[in-house]
Amino acid sequence: MARLVPSDRLLIETDSPDQLPGALRSALSVDRDCGPTPSADEGLLYNEPALLVLYCCQLSEALSVSVTDLAQQTTRNARHAYQLS
């Protein structure tokens, strides 16, 4: 689905504080670019904005783009969408 969104319209968000991803509720997840992410067993019980890095890593893999490029693009998009300087 994400591949259908034009790159200049793509945003990343967390649904914070709700909807903690299932992988974070059950076991320690390790991503090749982002490193380990804590599970609920280790104290992470809710979603938070700090998890944007994890979402960016997962989305970059799905889109076959670098994490850095995706982070820069989605930051530009958010600044434009919310009229931030």
Side-chain angles (χ1 to χ4, degrees):
M1 184 63 89
R3 290 185 196 131
L4 299 175
V5 178
S7 63
D8 66 336
R9 303 284 178 133
L10 191 61
L11 298 173
I12 301 173
E13 55 91 19
T14 65
D15 289 327
S16 179
D18 299 317
Q19 299 182 18
L20 182 65
L24 296 180
R25 278 184 252 135
S26 59
L28 182 64
S29 171
V30 177
D31 184 276
R32 62 180 165 74
D33 292 324
C34 298
T37 53
S39 70
D41 295 337
E42 297 168 322
L44 188 60
L45 299 175
Y46 57 90
N47 207 348
E48 60 183 59
L51 294 176
L52 284 174
V53 174
L54 172 64
Y55 302 143
C56 186
C57 288
Q58 292 174 338
L59 185 58
S60 74
E61 187 173 319
L63 296 175
S64 299
V65 299
S66 78
V67 173
T68 301
D69 289 346
L70 182 61
Q72 290 172 346
Q73 179 67 52
T74 56
T75 298
R76 280 192 302 271
N77 295 349
R79 290 182 186 279
H80 178 75
Y82 297 107
Q83 300 176 356
L84 304 171
S85 56

